């Protein structure tokens, strides 16, 4: 474990406003970590709308199974999240654990079990004892308070070096609404769906199906456009809730043709992107944030394939770690992506520096001039394919010795 | 650059017998490296059959373009290989360089330019001056000698820590034939096609089309089943030549129905696998060879997809580096592979140790017992999918801090 804070962390941690009727409690369940909170209970005093996006892993965790099964009911009253154990690949015992947790939380709140959502993050394959969670829930339910978002973000951290929070407050059809979001990340971060736990709550009144539509759209340009190490977790969970408790006269948003849809969706996209970038900036061992912009591909999808090929390439990522403008490795990553490109039409920039054009090194390029740029924390790699109008942006981080240390050597 | 030798290197470097009419010369062209050879010239005193398999990169190097264009002619008289510069993404200048080298080699040997094959390995995007190669070729042609295979293997090394050679001598239809092969690897090693330069020569009499058929088949279970870092080079080249100079009465092998086809193909497969494994064992920073066996998939192709997902996973590879039997990450890699699996039917072994079965940790498994196994140099991960009869084996190596250092930090 590395305790120091990522050099890419935001200067200031955002303060999230309390949301009426959304109460939060955290506790030390001692599942794996000692001397810190590892359990989060979010309670909705009245039924909230709910939407979710989950891992596409063929080996999803028991909590993911539970959430998928509960989602069609469309009502949320509570969310229980733990760190330290993923309750993944734990067979029948895993389901018994989520059943026990759902039962205990539902009982504490006097609601239905399928109105409780569960997420777990941590080691895969360790059986998880429900008791240490279940025993704490009644007291947490009794003592939960509005606010406490920072504590919520901290309780779900694993190898994260800073808590991840984002908030938006904006006018939506004449009323001021709020969206609060928290996330955790660190390793096993790759799209489809970004390997994080993330929980977003708004006080707006939005139906569950519309909430799902907004969430599924907004995830594309945020959590589905980041990668730390190309590994996809068994536990990826992004859930969103809407309480409808906003003050004033906010009529229920129940249609995509409602003009407030676009307003809200845009703010949600911004918030999710901010959370997703915080996840990349806290990628295990990350020292540089890498933004990859691909333009001129035959389709947007082809552009994204190329962008991910660059963003996931160990050789590109180690070069950035070494502050080396090794654009030849970008050519390699474009070439291996498997989509239509024409080598002799490629143009490549690092920041504003054009390094290659017309299938060869830019004759104007001087390696001396790029040194300072490569020492920056935020490196932008731009590739124009020269064939069409398809474009995509993805974010990644560099691959450092610390990544290897965190993920392998810490036991030895 | 790391100078010490990989701990996975073979105990003894194989001694390759001279092949009649195959002459070899090496030289110090000073393309990038100083104080070592970086140029190899293989000459065939009489026309040899030729076959080749090349990178599937959409951004192939100029030498790959040259070889692809020359291959249909079906005759080889010389091979020129340099290390230190890949002559890739070098635009028109790149083609001028290969043209100059082919012209000079052809002139020295008094043969046609499309009977000269060229391969280059090293930095991408640096213009490569032909003069330093061209000027040396006449003298190399004049002084080349039969034998010298070890020197040939050394001249094509880049970040390789040991030269890679393999040989086979066997009875083929009543006559004793020989196959010699050399390879280089180190980084940017992933299938389709394995990111190496590799040259194989036999004294058997085999037509170019049959040679191509054998080579294309044999590459599947060898160079197309290894991965160091999932990155595919612009320059991958595996070429094979057959001189027909074998002693005795070896009638030309010109048909797949010839019973000698299977005999030869099997030996060739063994030789290529040996070379490919040497490449993995010299993967940059490698400390453990990882063999991944997948059985029980719906198809062989699905099995290979799962095997590569495991073999390329940074989290699996860092765990092996840390000698940690983190089988949960194997579950993760199976789950993200995108092919049909049933979580609750998976079985996972590390060596002979069964760690997981029926969707959860094996109740019999004790972590204490696996420690010694994980300290071995050769780790076998076996996964049974439990759905069908599809199977595949791939080889990889662990991901160590040294890999990151070699590929990033050495400039700083």
């Amino acid at each position: 474990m590395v305790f120091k804070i990522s050099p890419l962390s935001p200067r200031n941690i955002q303060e999230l406003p309390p949301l009426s009727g959304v109460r939060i409690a955290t506790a030390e369940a001692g599942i794996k970590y000692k001397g810190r909170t590892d359990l989060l209970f979010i309670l909705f005093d009245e039924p909230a709308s709910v939407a979710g996006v989950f891992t596409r892993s063929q080996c999803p965790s028991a909590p993911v199974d539970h959430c998928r099964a509960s989602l069609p009911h469309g009502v949320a009253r509570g969310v229980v999240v733990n760190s330290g154990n993923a309750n993944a690949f734990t067979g029948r015992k895993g389901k018994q654990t989520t059943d026990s947790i759902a039962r205990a939380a539902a009982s504490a709140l006097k609601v239905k079990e399928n109105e409780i959502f569960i997420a777990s993050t941590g080691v895969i394959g360790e059986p998880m004892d429900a008791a240490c969670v279940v025993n704490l829930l009644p007291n947490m339910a009794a003592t939960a308070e509005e606010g406490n978002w920072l504590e919520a973000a901290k309780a779900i951290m694993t190898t994260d070096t800073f808590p991840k929070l984002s908030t938006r407050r904006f006018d939506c059809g004449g009323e001021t609404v709020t969206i609060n979001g928290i996330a955790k990340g660190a390793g096993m971060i790759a799209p489809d769906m970004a390997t994080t736990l993330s929980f977003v709550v708004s006080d707006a009144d939005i139906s569950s199906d519309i909430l799902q539509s907004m969430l599924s759209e907004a995830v594309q340009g945020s959590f589905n456009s980041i990668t730390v190490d190309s590994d996809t977790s068994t536990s990826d969970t992004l859930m969103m809730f809407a309480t409808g408790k906003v003050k004033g006269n906010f009529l229920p948003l129940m249609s995509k043709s409602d003009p407030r849809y676009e307003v809200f969706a845009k703010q949600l996209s911004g918030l999710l992107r901010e959370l997703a970038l915080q996840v990349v900036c806290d990628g295990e061992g990350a020292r540089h944030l890498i933004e990859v912009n691909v333009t001129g591909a035959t389709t947007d999808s082809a552009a994204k394939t190329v962008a991910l090929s660059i963003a996931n390439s160990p050789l590109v990522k180690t070069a950035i770690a070494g502050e080396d403008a090794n654009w030849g490795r970008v050519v390699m990553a474009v070439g291996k992506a498997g989509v239509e490109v024409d080598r002799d039409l490629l143009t490549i920039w690092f920041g504003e520096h054009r390094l290659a054009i017309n299938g060869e090194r830019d004759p104007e390029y001087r390696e001396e001039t790029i040194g300072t740029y490569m020492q920056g924390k935020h490196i932008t790699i731009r590739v124009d394919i020269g064939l069409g109008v398809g474009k995509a942006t993805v974010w990644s981080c560099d691959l450092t010795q610390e990544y290897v240390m965190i993920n392998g050597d810490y036991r030895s």
Side-chain angles (χ1 to χ4, degrees), chain A residues 258-294:
Chain A
D258 187 321
R260 297 174 301 170
Y261 185 97
E262 290 304 324
V263 174
F264 193 96
K266 193 178 165 198
Q267 294 287 337
L268 176 62
S269 291
L271 178 138
L272 289 186
R273 180 170 296 188
E274 189 170 282
L275 284 177
L277 285 180
Q278 287 183 42
V279 168
V280 174
C281 285
D282 204 10
E284 287 169 341
R287 294 294 169 262
H288 296 83
L289 172 66
I290 308 173
E291 177 173 334
V292 182
N293 293 312
V294 173

mmCIF file of all heavy atoms in Angstrom, chain A residues 258-294:
data_model
loop_
_atom_site.group_PDB
_atom_site.id
_atom_site.type_symbol
_atom_site.label_atom_id
_atom_site.label_comp_id
_atom_site.label_asym_id
_atom_site.label_seq_id
_atom_site.Cartn_x
_atom_site.Cartn_y
_atom_site.Cartn_z
ATOM 1 N N ASP A 258 -38.782 16.527 -22.622
ATOM 2 C CA ASP A 258 -38.794 17.633 -21.662
ATOM 3 C C ASP A 258 -37.510 18.446 -21.846
ATOM 4 O O ASP A 258 -36.413 17.875 -21.818
ATOM 5 C CB ASP A 258 -38.864 17.021 -20.247
ATOM 6 C CG ASP A 258 -39.053 18.078 -19.161
ATOM 7 O OD1 ASP A 258 -38.442 19.169 -19.259
ATOM 8 O OD2 ASP A 258 -39.817 17.797 -18.214
ATOM 9 N N PRO A 259 -37.631 19.777 -22.055
ATOM 10 C CA PRO A 259 -36.416 20.570 -22.297
ATOM 11 C C PRO A 259 -35.413 20.515 -21.141
ATOM 12 O O PRO A 259 -34.223 20.748 -21.330
ATOM 13 C CB PRO A 259 -36.940 21.997 -22.500
ATOM 14 C CG PRO A 259 -38.358 21.994 -22.035
ATOM 15 C CD PRO A 259 -38.853 20.579 -22.125
ATOM 16 N N ARG A 260 -35.870 20.156 -19.953
ATOM 17 C CA ARG A 260 -34.950 20.052 -18.817
ATOM 18 C C ARG A 260 -34.030 18.830 -18.920
ATOM 19 O O ARG A 260 -33.010 18.762 -18.243
ATOM 20 C CB ARG A 260 -35.756 19.994 -17.502
ATOM 21 C CG ARG A 260 -36.570 21.259 -17.230
ATOM 22 C CD ARG A 260 -37.453 21.075 -16.012
ATOM 23 N NE ARG A 260 -38.361 19.946 -16.208
ATOM 24 C CZ ARG A 260 -39.122 19.429 -15.240
ATOM 25 N NH1 ARG A 260 -39.084 19.942 -14.020
ATOM 26 N NH2 ARG A 260 -39.927 18.410 -15.492
ATOM 27 N N TYR A 261 -34.425 17.865 -19.775
ATOM 28 C CA TYR A 261 -33.614 16.659 -19.946
ATOM 29 C C TYR A 261 -32.179 17.023 -20.338
ATOM 30 O O TYR A 261 -31.206 16.580 -19.713
ATOM 31 C CB TYR A 261 -34.240 15.732 -20.995
ATOM 32 C CG TYR A 261 -33.526 14.399 -21.152
ATOM 33 C CD1 TYR A 261 -33.975 13.257 -20.499
ATOM 34 C CD2 TYR A 261 -32.400 14.271 -21.961
ATOM 35 C CE1 TYR A 261 -33.329 12.038 -20.647
ATOM 36 C CE2 TYR A 261 -31.742 13.062 -22.106
ATOM 37 C CZ TYR A 261 -32.207 11.946 -21.455
ATOM 38 O OH TYR A 261 -31.566 10.742 -21.593
ATOM 39 N N GLU A 262 -32.061 17.830 -21.390
ATOM 40 C CA GLU A 262 -30.719 18.191 -21.881
ATOM 41 C C GLU A 262 -29.939 18.967 -20.837
ATOM 42 O O GLU A 262 -28.731 18.787 -20.674
ATOM 43 C CB GLU A 262 -30.826 19.014 -23.175
ATOM 44 C CG GLU A 262 -31.297 18.233 -24.385
ATOM 45 C CD GLU A 262 -30.416 17.016 -24.677
ATOM 46 O OE1 GLU A 262 -29.196 17.097 -24.468
ATOM 47 O OE2 GLU A 262 -30.966 15.969 -25.087
ATOM 48 N N VAL A 263 -30.639 19.873 -20.144
ATOM 49 C CA VAL A 263 -29.985 20.695 -19.117
ATOM 50 C C VAL A 263 -29.389 19.795 -18.030
ATOM 51 O O VAL A 263 -28.209 19.896 -17.674
ATOM 52 C CB VAL A 263 -30.999 21.677 -18.492
ATOM 53 C CG1 VAL A 263 -30.351 22.437 -17.321
ATOM 54 C CG2 VAL A 263 -31.524 22.641 -19.548
ATOM 55 N N PHE A 264 -30.211 18.884 -17.547
ATOM 56 C CA PHE A 264 -29.763 18.008 -16.467
ATOM 57 C C PHE A 264 -28.670 17.051 -16.965
ATOM 58 O O PHE A 264 -27.646 16.844 -16.307
ATOM 59 C CB PHE A 264 -30.955 17.220 -15.901
ATOM 60 C CG PHE A 264 -30.646 16.526 -14.600
ATOM 61 C CD1 PHE A 264 -30.978 17.115 -13.388
ATOM 62 C CD2 PHE A 264 -30.028 15.283 -14.583
ATOM 63 C CE1 PHE A 264 -30.679 16.489 -12.181
ATOM 64 C CE2 PHE A 264 -29.726 14.648 -13.385
ATOM 65 C CZ PHE A 264 -30.053 15.250 -12.177
ATOM 66 N N ALA A 265 -28.904 16.483 -18.152
ATOM 67 C CA ALA A 265 -27.956 15.498 -18.701
ATOM 68 C C ALA A 265 -26.574 16.112 -18.876
ATOM 69 O O ALA A 265 -25.552 15.467 -18.617
ATOM 70 C CB ALA A 265 -28.476 14.949 -20.025
ATOM 71 N N LYS A 266 -26.537 17.365 -19.314
ATOM 72 C CA LYS A 266 -25.248 18.022 -19.525
ATOM 73 C C LYS A 266 -24.501 18.201 -18.204
ATOM 74 O O LYS A 266 -23.286 17.968 -18.122
ATOM 75 C CB LYS A 266 -25.484 19.386 -20.185
ATOM 76 C CG LYS A 266 -24.227 20.001 -20.730
ATOM 77 C CD LYS A 266 -24.482 21.329 -21.414
ATOM 78 C CE LYS A 266 -23.149 22.051 -21.585
ATOM 79 N NZ LYS A 266 -23.337 23.476 -21.832
ATOM 80 N N GLN A 267 -25.223 18.606 -17.169
ATOM 81 C CA GLN A 267 -24.586 18.768 -15.857
ATOM 82 C C GLN A 267 -24.126 17.409 -15.315
ATOM 83 O O GLN A 267 -23.047 17.303 -14.727
ATOM 84 C CB GLN A 267 -25.577 19.423 -14.881
ATOM 85 C CG GLN A 267 -25.944 20.851 -15.249
ATOM 86 C CD GLN A 267 -24.819 21.840 -14.983
ATOM 87 O OE1 GLN A 267 -23.944 21.592 -14.163
ATOM 88 N NE2 GLN A 267 -24.829 22.950 -15.703
ATOM 89 N N LEU A 268 -24.955 16.402 -15.519
ATOM 90 C CA LEU A 268 -24.579 15.058 -15.062
ATOM 91 C C LEU A 268 -23.316 14.587 -15.771
ATOM 92 O O LEU A 268 -22.401 14.028 -15.148
ATOM 93 C CB LEU A 268 -25.734 14.083 -15.312
ATOM 94 C CG LEU A 268 -25.452 12.620 -14.963
ATOM 95 C CD1 LEU A 268 -25.145 12.447 -13.483
ATOM 96 C CD2 LEU A 268 -26.628 11.722 -15.362
ATOM 97 N N SER A 269 -23.251 14.827 -17.102
ATOM 98 C CA SER A 269 -22.058 14.430 -17.858
ATOM 99 C C SER A 269 -20.817 15.114 -17.306
ATOM 100 O O SER A 269 -19.760 14.490 -17.159
ATOM 101 C CB SER A 269 -22.221 14.785 -19.341
ATOM 102 O OG SER A 269 -23.192 13.969 -19.926
ATOM 103 N N GLY A 270 -20.945 16.384 -17.017
ATOM 104 C CA GLY A 270 -19.810 17.132 -16.475
ATOM 105 C C GLY A 270 -19.359 16.566 -15.135
ATOM 106 O O GLY A 270 -18.158 16.389 -14.887
ATOM 107 N N LEU A 271 -20.314 16.259 -14.288
ATOM 108 C CA LEU A 271 -19.989 15.707 -12.970
ATOM 109 C C LEU A 271 -19.324 14.341 -13.101
ATOM 110 O O LEU A 271 -18.314 14.047 -12.456
ATOM 111 C CB LEU A 271 -21.257 15.618 -12.111
ATOM 112 C CG LEU A 271 -21.082 15.016 -10.714
ATOM 113 C CD1 LEU A 271 -21.889 15.807 -9.681
ATOM 114 C CD2 LEU A 271 -21.505 13.560 -10.686
ATOM 115 N N LEU A 272 -19.878 13.489 -13.961
ATOM 116 C CA LEU A 272 -19.294 12.143 -14.119
ATOM 117 C C LEU A 272 -17.889 12.232 -14.706
ATOM 118 O O LEU A 272 -16.998 11.472 -14.324
ATOM 119 C CB LEU A 272 -20.187 11.269 -15.005
ATOM 120 C CG LEU A 272 -21.508 10.820 -14.404
ATOM 121 C CD1 LEU A 272 -22.207 9.845 -15.349
ATOM 122 C CD2 LEU A 272 -21.324 10.160 -13.039
ATOM 123 N N ARG A 273 -17.708 13.162 -15.651
ATOM 124 C CA ARG A 273 -16.368 13.288 -16.225
ATOM 125 C C ARG A 273 -15.376 13.733 -15.151
ATOM 126 O O ARG A 273 -14.241 13.249 -15.101
ATOM 127 C CB ARG A 273 -16.371 14.266 -17.401
ATOM 128 C CG ARG A 273 -14.993 14.426 -18.019
ATOM 129 C CD ARG A 273 -15.010 15.192 -19.298
ATOM 130 N NE ARG A 273 -15.767 14.503 -20.336
ATOM 131 C CZ ARG A 273 -15.811 14.901 -21.604
ATOM 132 N NH1 ARG A 273 -15.154 15.963 -21.994
ATOM 133 N NH2 ARG A 273 -16.514 14.218 -22.486
ATOM 134 N N GLU A 274 -15.817 14.650 -14.302
ATOM 135 C CA GLU A 274 -14.928 15.115 -13.243
ATOM 136 C C GLU A 274 -14.560 13.971 -12.294
ATOM 137 O O GLU A 274 -13.391 13.813 -11.923
ATOM 138 C CB GLU A 274 -15.607 16.249 -12.480
ATOM 139 C CG GLU A 274 -14.691 16.952 -11.511
ATOM 140 C CD GLU A 274 -15.346 18.223 -10.961
ATOM 141 O OE1 GLU A 274 -15.362 19.231 -11.684
ATOM 142 O OE2 GLU A 274 -15.847 18.184 -9.826
ATOM 143 N N LEU A 275 -15.541 13.170 -11.941
ATOM 144 C CA LEU A 275 -15.244 12.014 -11.081
ATOM 145 C C LEU A 275 -14.315 11.032 -11.795
ATOM 146 O O LEU A 275 -13.362 10.518 -11.214
ATOM 147 C CB LEU A 275 -16.538 11.298 -10.678
ATOM 148 C CG LEU A 275 -17.404 11.951 -9.599
ATOM 149 C CD1 LEU A 275 -18.678 11.134 -9.405
ATOM 150 C CD2 LEU A 275 -16.650 12.080 -8.275
ATOM 151 N N ALA A 276 -14.606 10.775 -13.071
ATOM 152 C CA ALA A 276 -13.797 9.809 -13.831
ATOM 153 C C ALA A 276 -12.349 10.281 -13.923
ATOM 154 O O ALA A 276 -11.407 9.489 -13.787
ATOM 155 C CB ALA A 276 -14.396 9.602 -15.221
ATOM 156 N N LEU A 277 -12.164 11.579 -14.151
ATOM 157 C CA LEU A 277 -10.794 12.094 -14.241
ATOM 158 C C LEU A 277 -10.092 12.020 -12.891
ATOM 159 O O LEU A 277 -8.887 11.772 -12.827
ATOM 160 C CB LEU A 277 -10.792 13.523 -14.783
ATOM 161 C CG LEU A 277 -11.055 13.596 -16.281
ATOM 162 C CD1 LEU A 277 -11.049 15.041 -16.774
ATOM 163 C CD2 LEU A 277 -10.003 12.801 -17.055
ATOM 164 N N GLN A 278 -10.830 12.195 -11.819
ATOM 165 C CA GLN A 278 -10.215 12.014 -10.499
ATOM 166 C C GLN A 278 -9.752 10.564 -10.333
ATOM 167 O O GLN A 278 -8.706 10.301 -9.734
ATOM 168 C CB GLN A 278 -11.200 12.391 -9.385
ATOM 169 C CG GLN A 278 -11.439 13.890 -9.262
ATOM 170 C CD GLN A 278 -12.369 14.239 -8.093
ATOM 171 O OE1 GLN A 278 -12.262 13.691 -7.016
ATOM 172 N NE2 GLN A 278 -13.293 15.160 -8.321
ATOM 173 N N VAL A 279 -10.538 9.644 -10.870
ATOM 174 C CA VAL A 279 -10.152 8.229 -10.787
ATOM 175 C C VAL A 279 -8.846 7.997 -11.555
ATOM 176 O O VAL A 279 -7.918 7.352 -11.047
ATOM 177 C CB VAL A 279 -11.278 7.317 -11.320
ATOM 178 C CG1 VAL A 279 -10.777 5.891 -11.517
ATOM 179 C CG2 VAL A 279 -12.475 7.336 -10.361
ATOM 180 N N VAL A 280 -8.753 8.547 -12.767
ATOM 181 C CA VAL A 280 -7.518 8.371 -13.545
ATOM 182 C C VAL A 280 -6.342 9.032 -12.829
ATOM 183 O O VAL A 280 -5.245 8.463 -12.760
ATOM 184 C CB VAL A 280 -7.669 8.972 -14.960
ATOM 185 C CG1 VAL A 280 -6.332 8.913 -15.693
ATOM 186 C CG2 VAL A 280 -8.717 8.216 -15.743
ATOM 187 N N CYS A 281 -6.576 10.230 -12.295
ATOM 188 C CA CYS A 281 -5.494 10.951 -11.612
ATOM 189 C C CYS A 281 -5.024 10.217 -10.362
ATOM 190 O O CYS A 281 -3.962 10.516 -9.820
ATOM 191 C CB CYS A 281 -5.949 12.368 -11.243
ATOM 192 S SG CYS A 281 -6.001 13.447 -12.684
ATOM 193 N N ASP A 282 -5.815 9.278 -9.898
ATOM 194 C CA ASP A 282 -5.423 8.472 -8.747
ATOM 195 C C ASP A 282 -5.149 7.038 -9.178
ATOM 196 O O ASP A 282 -5.134 6.123 -8.365
ATOM 197 C CB ASP A 282 -6.524 8.514 -7.679
ATOM 198 C CG ASP A 282 -5.983 8.229 -6.281
ATOM 199 O OD1 ASP A 282 -4.744 8.187 -6.121
ATOM 200 O OD2 ASP A 282 -6.796 8.034 -5.370
ATOM 201 N N GLY A 283 -4.926 6.826 -10.474
ATOM 202 C CA GLY A 283 -4.528 5.508 -10.957
ATOM 203 C C GLY A 283 -3.290 5.069 -10.179
ATOM 204 O O GLY A 283 -2.435 5.889 -9.847
ATOM 205 N N GLU A 284 -3.207 3.790 -9.895
ATOM 206 C CA GLU A 284 -2.113 3.316 -9.052
ATOM 207 C C GLU A 284 -0.759 3.730 -9.633
ATOM 208 O O GLU A 284 -0.436 3.388 -10.764
ATOM 209 C CB GLU A 284 -2.220 1.795 -8.869
ATOM 210 C CG GLU A 284 -3.375 1.443 -7.931
ATOM 211 C CD GLU A 284 -3.719 -0.032 -7.908
ATOM 212 O OE1 GLU A 284 -3.343 -0.754 -8.837
ATOM 213 O OE2 GLU A 284 -4.370 -0.453 -6.947
ATOM 214 N N GLY A 285 -0.001 4.455 -8.851
ATOM 215 C CA GLY A 285 1.334 4.892 -9.268
ATOM 216 C C GLY A 285 1.354 6.029 -10.268
ATOM 217 O O GLY A 285 2.427 6.392 -10.765
ATOM 218 N N ALA A 286 0.186 6.600 -10.596
ATOM 219 C CA ALA A 286 0.128 7.613 -11.662
ATOM 220 C C ALA A 286 0.947 8.847 -11.321
ATOM 221 O O ALA A 286 0.883 9.357 -10.211
ATOM 222 C CB ALA A 286 -1.318 8.006 -11.927
ATOM 223 N N ARG A 287 1.698 9.323 -12.299
ATOM 224 C CA ARG A 287 2.468 10.551 -12.165
ATOM 225 C C ARG A 287 2.092 11.560 -13.249
ATOM 226 O O ARG A 287 2.396 12.736 -13.162
ATOM 227 C CB ARG A 287 3.978 10.254 -12.218
ATOM 228 C CG ARG A 287 4.497 9.438 -11.030
ATOM 229 C CD ARG A 287 4.391 10.242 -9.743
ATOM 230 N NE ARG A 287 4.623 9.419 -8.554
ATOM 231 C CZ ARG A 287 3.658 8.904 -7.802
ATOM 232 N NH1 ARG A 287 2.381 9.118 -8.112
ATOM 233 N NH2 ARG A 287 3.932 8.190 -6.729
ATOM 234 N N HIS A 288 1.479 11.067 -14.327
ATOM 235 C CA HIS A 288 1.043 11.945 -15.415
ATOM 236 C C HIS A 288 -0.362 11.537 -15.848
ATOM 237 O O HIS A 288 -0.644 10.347 -16.002
ATOM 238 C CB HIS A 288 1.963 11.812 -16.632
ATOM 239 C CG HIS A 288 3.376 12.238 -16.396
ATOM 240 N ND1 HIS A 288 4.312 11.412 -15.833
ATOM 241 C CD2 HIS A 288 4.019 13.418 -16.646
ATOM 242 C CE1 HIS A 288 5.470 12.058 -15.745
ATOM 243 N NE2 HIS A 288 5.324 13.270 -16.235
ATOM 244 N N LEU A 289 -1.206 12.530 -16.059
ATOM 245 C CA LEU A 289 -2.513 12.298 -16.677
ATOM 246 C C LEU A 289 -2.308 12.371 -18.189
ATOM 247 O O LEU A 289 -1.695 13.307 -18.694
ATOM 248 C CB LEU A 289 -3.505 13.372 -16.227
ATOM 249 C CG LEU A 289 -4.860 13.388 -16.924
ATOM 250 C CD1 LEU A 289 -5.666 12.129 -16.618
ATOM 251 C CD2 LEU A 289 -5.664 14.629 -16.512
ATOM 252 N N ILE A 290 -2.801 11.366 -18.896
ATOM 253 C CA ILE A 290 -2.646 11.333 -20.356
ATOM 254 C C ILE A 290 -4.017 11.494 -21.008
ATOM 255 O O ILE A 290 -4.924 10.704 -20.735
ATOM 256 C CB ILE A 290 -2.023 10.000 -20.830
ATOM 257 C CG1 ILE A 290 -0.728 9.703 -20.067
ATOM 258 C CG2 ILE A 290 -1.786 10.023 -22.335
ATOM 259 C CD1 ILE A 290 -0.144 8.325 -20.357
ATOM 260 N N GLU A 291 -4.149 12.511 -21.834
ATOM 261 C CA GLU A 291 -5.378 12.670 -22.606
ATOM 262 C C GLU A 291 -5.055 12.302 -24.050
ATOM 263 O O GLU A 291 -4.092 12.800 -24.612
ATOM 264 C CB GLU A 291 -5.860 14.124 -22.510
ATOM 265 C CG GLU A 291 -7.095 14.403 -23.332
ATOM 266 C CD GLU A 291 -7.663 15.815 -23.080
ATOM 267 O OE1 GLU A 291 -7.441 16.381 -21.984
ATOM 268 O OE2 GLU A 291 -8.295 16.353 -24.007
ATOM 269 N N VAL A 292 -5.844 11.415 -24.614
ATOM 270 C CA VAL A 292 -5.614 11.002 -26.000
ATOM 271 C C VAL A 292 -6.785 11.465 -26.854
ATOM 272 O O VAL A 292 -7.926 11.052 -26.629
ATOM 273 C CB VAL A 292 -5.465 9.469 -26.125
ATOM 274 C CG1 VAL A 292 -5.188 9.079 -27.570
ATOM 275 C CG2 VAL A 292 -4.367 8.955 -25.206
ATOM 276 N N ASN A 293 -6.500 12.324 -27.805
ATOM 277 C CA ASN A 293 -7.524 12.802 -28.745
ATOM 278 C C ASN A 293 -7.257 12.205 -30.108
ATOM 279 O O ASN A 293 -6.165 12.384 -30.657
ATOM 280 C CB ASN A 293 -7.454 14.326 -28.892
ATOM 281 C CG ASN A 293 -7.836 15.033 -27.625
ATOM 282 O OD1 ASN A 293 -8.852 14.720 -27.021
ATOM 283 N ND2 ASN A 293 -7.021 15.990 -27.201
ATOM 284 N N VAL A 294 -8.236 11.509 -30.632
ATOM 285 C CA VAL A 294 -8.095 10.972 -31.987
ATOM 286 C C VAL A 294 -9.152 11.616 -32.873
ATOM 287 O O VAL A 294 -10.334 11.641 -32.522
ATOM 288 C CB VAL A 294 -8.248 9.436 -31.992
ATOM 289 C CG1 VAL A 294 -8.263 8.897 -33.422
ATOM 290 C CG2 VAL A 294 -7.124 8.800 -31.192
#
